[in-house]
Amino acid sequence: MGMGSLHPTLPLLHHSNSSYPSLPSHSIKPLKTKTPEALKKPSSIPSTELVLLLQSCIETKSYQQGKSIHSQILKLGFERNRDLLPKLIKLYSVCGRISIARNLFDRIPNRNLNVFVWTSLISGYIENGLLGNVIGIFLEMLELGVKPDGFTFSSLLKACSNLGFPPLVTQLHSMIVKCGCGSFLSVENSLIHLYGSLCVDVESAHRVFDRMSCRDVVSWTSIIRACCSLEKYGESMELFSRMQFDEDIKPNELTVVSVLPACGFFSSLRRGQAFHAYIIRNGFSMNVIVGASLVSMYSHCGHPDDAFLVFDSLKERNIVLWTSMIEGYSVNGRFDSALELFHVMQDNGIEPNYVTLIVILSACSHGGLIDDGWEIFNSLRDKFGIEPRAEHYACVVDMLGRAGQLDEAEKFINTMSLKPNGSIFGSLLGACGVYGNVDLGERLASRLFELEPNNAANYVMLSNIYAAVERWDDVGRMRQLMAVKGLSKDPGCSWIETKNKVYVFGAHDRSHPESDNIYRMLEDLSDRIIKAGYVPSTKFVLRDVEDDDKKKLLCSHSERLAIAFGLMKTPSGVPIRIAKNIRVCGDCHDAIKLISKVTSRELIIRDTIRPLLSKELSSRDLMFEDSSIMKSRISTLGNIVQHLMGGYISIRKQHGHP
């Protein structure tokens, strides 16, 4: 029988990392179809029956039964059968006996004639975490002239994900095209996932996706997840709609988990609630990973009470869910509740992981809970068995900086067991701006310029420190240095969603068609809040201009434009939700409280860190927020998302889903 005739009749596997697709469950006969008496009569067992018996052992990881069947195969003289060889290698691999699988493989004559056994061995090494051997086996396979197929590349792409080496993805992609495997569905899906997650290249992910002749739910979920992970939230929303209405593909749990962060980013509570309704209708609501995503979504939309209702409804609560709820309280300014939940979690027998500890240390920092923060940090090794990472140290530095303990923070940095990175120095540099410590700010900035010479945020922070003390020549020097290096500051903008459309405003923006009406509304609001006691704080305008010009600039910050537009376009009494890509300044913070008061509207403004509710704003919220801490917290959220995805995939495998 030739290779070409073997391929259509190959037995099919159920494991997601298998080299072959899956047989329908009804075609696999259980092991009991052959009695012990029958197994004692080798002549009564055809090779096709042995294939199915081995498949059953693979699925149940039944090593002893598989070994018994292997013995019968030897007696029958079938050990070199091209259908049985890959199965035997797969059996020993899934049972953790990779050395037996390799020994069996090495005794195969003419290995250059059978791509299936090579693929089985590669898959086996991946399953057993022996990734260092995989590339060597693949190169050996190529040297013998064995042409890889789609199943081989599917296994290799999985190894790429675990190896974390982006250049390997592009090299394999080139080889995939040359070998004519570019239209293999699982290969295309893996490429989209890797370009989006490992290579951080959403354009390449889109190119693969757009060229696909056939897409399944995995394809759509992979591209949606890639867009969300790279903060292209608008695209992820659009893709989610196209998936359902253009191609009539029903989203699964992982699709919903992938798109929910977009709702939090846009502060789109209405869309988030629609997703929640979809989750309930489709029976996903008891999935702990979906629940954790809902908790995060409601929290970032400024509704921690709704987040807690989801949290409380779930019977199963893992570390991801607890961490998401603690983070939910923290981003909404309920720091005492976050700390209380942290202790309740431990009382319930759940130990925090390193992400949970970053979240609670950050809560202590933002909430001014210094004693609690120190107690938790000092317990990392002895109580929790976790070696402090740079993110933990950055939280402590941030905590001391917020409290004005700048000298203590500098001493802490100098006594760290780790070498300080940009995030740690950046935490203290932001505090120098708040407390006007120019000398320390210059020392820290000098270290940051060495560590991160192309990070524009560091130059902007030092420039702002100079501007706060009116050292305009030094401000100009910083701007000139940025220009020479080709660096620029990301412009601030705010957005609001009304009637299923998102409107974006920049500072002093007049591009909107209704710009004249918006500015008239702003003038009216300014008059009303001044009568209510508002005094413009011009120290937040870091430009060398007259005070009257500073006041005009403050009134047209992007969040105020969005608020004015929201007041024009939404019915009276409806809360207005706005998101901003940078921190809300202290003057706008004060103005928002008064605008809420004079208009009798609840205003929810979500910036880079947390939603600010007009009815809950306090002087504590006026603290600084520098870009390094922002990056640290975004990294924390990224880790939570990784836990979400990893946990979700694990759950699906446990329930037999690919």
Side-chain angles (χ1 to χ4, degrees):
M1 186 181 291
M3 287 276 292
S5 60
L6 268 176
H7 186 79
T9 59
L10 271 175
L12 309 168
L13 306 181
H14 281 294
H15 294 281
S16 61
N17 54 3
S18 164
S19 303
Y20 308 100
S22 302
L23 268 179
S25 57
H26 62 77
S27 67
I28 300 177
K29 299 177 183 178
L31 196 59
K32 64 182 181 181
T33 55
K34 284 294 175 183
T35 64
E37 290 74 17
L39 286 174
K40 291 176 183 177
K41 301 175 182 178
S43 60
S44 67
I45 311 174
S47 62
T48 52
E49 186 74 14
L50 290 168
V51 166
L52 297 177
L53 290 169
L54 281 174
Q55 176 63 43
S56 179
C57 292
I58 289 168
E59 293 182 356
T60 57
K61 297 185 179 180
S62 303
Y63 172 65
Q64 291 299 331
Q65 289 176 314
K67 190 176 178 183
S68 175
I69 295 170
H70 189 183
S71 177
Q72 297 300 321
I73 289 170
L74 290 171
K75 292 178 182 178
L76 289 163
F78 286 160
E79 191 178 28
R80 296 183 181 181
N81 182 288
R82 288 180 177 176
D83 285 352
L84 293 171
L85 277 172
K87 289 292 185 186
L88 287 169
I89 292 172
K90 183 71 177 177
L91 168 70
Y92 289 117
S93 297
V94 300
C95 292
R97 269 71 171 185
I98 191 65
S99 59
I100 300 176
R102 180 70 203 223
N103 184 51
L104 181 62
F105 174 84
D106 289 339
R107 289 191 282 114
I108 299 172
N110 301 320
R111 291 196 299 273
N112 60 320
L113 300 179
N114 194 337
V115 67
F116 309 123
V117 292
W118 285 93
T119 302
S120 292
L121 186 66
I122 288 171
S123 178
Y125 271 90
I126 294 171
E127 284 191 29
N128 286 273
L130 302 171
L131 302 177
N133 302 76
V134 171
I135 302 304
I137 295 170
F138 181 61
L139 293 175
E140 184 184 351
M141 170 183 170
L142 295 177
E143 287 172 0
L144 288 173
V146 182
K147 182 180 178 181
D149 62 10
F151 301 120
T152 315
F153 285 119
S154 292
S155 296
L156 288 167
L157 289 171
K158 180 181 179 182
C160 283
S161 180
N162 295 328
L163 283 168
F165 186 57
L168 187 57
V169 179
T170 54
Q171 292 169 12
L172 282 175
H173 192 180
S174 176
M175 190 175 296
I176 285 165
V177 173
K178 291 177 182 177
C179 290
C181 299
S183 59
F184 205 83
L185 184 60
S186 65
V187 170
E188 292 172 312
N189 288 342
S190 295
L191 284 170
I192 294 170
H193 167 69
L194 288 170
Y195 276 126
S197 60
L198 181 61
C199 299
V200 196
D201 183 359
V202 75
E203 286 77 18
S204 293
H206 260 299
R207 279 195 294 272
V208 175
F209 179 80
D210 293 339
R211 291 172 183 168
M212 293 177 73
S213 58
C214 177
R215 305 183 186 106
D216 62 5
V217 67
V218 177
S219 316
W220 285 95
T221 300
S222 297
I223 191 65
I224 289 170
R225 183 180 173 187
C227 289
C228 263
S229 66
L230 298 175
E231 299 183 4
K232 295 183 178 294
Y233 297 109
E235 285 185 43
S236 68
M237 287 284 201
E238 180 184 349
L239 286 163
F240 188 83
S241 297
R242 281 177 53 198
M243 170 186 181
Q244 298 173 84
F245 300 115
D246 293 355
E247 299 203 11
D248 195 28
I249 293 178
K250 183 179 178 180
N252 61 18
E253 303 103 303
L254 186 52
T255 319
V256 177
V257 167
S258 299
V259 79
L260 276 172
C263 298
F265 178 79
F266 287 116
S267 292
S268 182
L269 180 65
R270 187 191 59 79
R271 291 196 190 193
Q273 289 171 330
F275 281 125
H276 194 175
Y278 178 87
I279 286 166
I280 293 170
R281 287 197 306 271
N282 288 274
F284 304 154
S285 57
M286 288 297 105
N287 184 306
V288 67
I289 305 304
V290 174
S293 298
L294 283 170
V295 166
S296 180
M297 182 275 294
Y298 278 119
S299 299
H300 286 86
C301 287
H303 283 257
D305 292 333
D306 290 334
F308 185 78
L309 287 175
V310 175
F311 172 84
D312 198 45
S313 70
L314 292 165
K315 296 179 181 178
E316 179 190 353
R317 296 174 190 161
N318 63 7
I319 186 60
V320 177
L321 183 61
W322 284 96
T323 301
S324 297
M325 191 63 245
I326 293 168
E327 173 83 5
Y329 278 136
S330 177
V331 299
N332 284 280
R334 298 189 183 181
F335 308 112
D336 291 330
S337 297
L339 188 61
E340 181 182 357
L341 193 64
F342 176 72
H343 293 306
V344 170
M345 178 189 76
Q346 295 171 76
D347 292 341
N348 278 267
I350 305 293
E351 288 299 314
N353 60 20
Y354 83 96
V355 177
T356 316
L357 291 163
I358 294 172
V359 168
I360 194 60
L361 284 171
S362 179
C364 292
S365 170
H366 285 79
L369 307 174
I370 298 176
D371 291 340
D372 295 293
W374 272 122
E375 182 181 351
I376 292 169
F377 179 79
N378 291 328
S379 302
L380 287 182
R381 290 190 183 92
D382 297 337
K383 184 176 179 180
F384 303 119
I386 291 176
E387 191 66 25
R389 302 191 185 191
E391 296 91 341
H392 301 114
Y393 284 106
C395 287
V396 174
V397 172
D398 182 51
M399 179 176 69
L400 295 172
R402 286 174 178 274
Q405 300 176 19
L406 305 188
D407 292 337
E408 290 82 353
E410 186 177 24
K411 290 176 184 176
F412 178 76
I413 291 174
N414 292 333
T415 58
M416 282 171 46
S417 58
L418 292 178
K419 183 179 180 181
N421 60 16
S423 177
I424 292 169
F425 286 125
S427 300
L428 192 51
L429 181 60
C432 292
V434 173
Y435 293 102
N437 192 326
V438 180
D439 292 340
L440 177 57
E442 289 178 325
R443 291 202 303 274
L444 293 168
S446 177
R447 300 286 295 274
L448 281 166
F449 295 161
E450 294 176 6
L451 288 170
E452 303 172 340
N454 296 317
N455 186 347
N458 299 325
Y459 299 90
V460 171
M461 282 194 287
L462 182 57
S463 175
N464 290 345
I465 291 172
Y466 287 140
V469 294
E470 299 185 350
R471 286 173 53 172
W472 302 114
D473 290 342
D474 289 319
V475 171
R477 181 169 56 85
M478 285 296 102
R479 290 177 179 172
Q480 185 177 12
L481 186 58
M482 289 178 66
V484 169
K485 290 179 171 289
L487 305 175
S488 61
K489 177 184 176 182
D490 292 334
C493 63
S494 300
W495 53 91
I496 180 173
E497 182 184 17
T498 63
K499 297 180 180 179
N500 297 320
K501 187 174 181 180
V502 176
Y503 296 87
V504 181
F505 296 90
H508 328 302
D509 191 352
R510 287 188 174 271
S511 62
H512 195 277
E514 297 187 60
S515 179
D516 290 342
N517 292 332
I518 291 171
Y519 274 87
R520 276 194 290 271
M521 172 66 80
L522 276 178
E523 289 177 10
D524 177 63
L525 288 173
S526 294
D527 291 340
R528 293 168 69 183
I529 63 177
I530 286 172
K531 291 177 182 177
Y534 168 68
V535 178
S537 183
T538 56
K539 69 178 182 179
F540 291 103
V541 180
L542 303 177
R543 297 189 188 181
D544 187 14
V545 295
E546 298 296 328
D547 276 356
D548 287 345
D549 293 326
K550 289 183 178 182
K551 291 175 184 178
K552 290 179 182 178
L553 291 171
L554 285 171
C555 289
S556 55
H557 278 187
S558 63
E559 57 267 52
R560 298 203 205 182
L561 293 171
I563 289 171
F565 181 75
L567 289 168
M568 289 166 48
K569 295 299 181 181
T570 58
S572 178
V574 173
I576 294 175
R577 292 179 173 83
I578 291 165
K580 186 174 183 179
N581 69 331
I582 60 175
R583 190 66 169 152
V584 174
C585 80
D587 182 76
C588 287
H589 195 285
D590 292 337
I592 289 167
K593 288 190 289 186
L594 289 170
I595 291 172
S596 174
K597 180 180 178 180
V598 301
T599 60
S600 300
R601 287 288 194 103
E602 181 182 357
L603 305 178
I604 302 171
I605 319 296
R606 190 194 70 80
D607 62 14
T608 54
I609 303 303
R610 67 171 60 85
L612 303 176
L613 277 66
S614 56
K615 61 185 179 182
E616 296 179 356
L617 297 180
S618 66
S619 59
R620 176 185 290 170
D621 295 317
L622 296 176
M623 285 299 295
F624 64 93
E625 200 62 66
D626 67 83
S627 62
S628 297
I629 284 295
M630 180 180 76
K631 287 186 291 184
S632 175
R633 288 176 65 85
I634 289 173
S635 174
T636 298
L637 291 173
N639 284 323
I640 292 174
V641 170
Q642 290 301 317
H643 279 285
L644 287 172
M645 297 304 181
Y648 175 81
I649 293 167
S650 174
I651 288 170
R652 286 184 66 82
K653 285 184 177 180
Q654 289 172 15
H655 288 83
H657 296 292

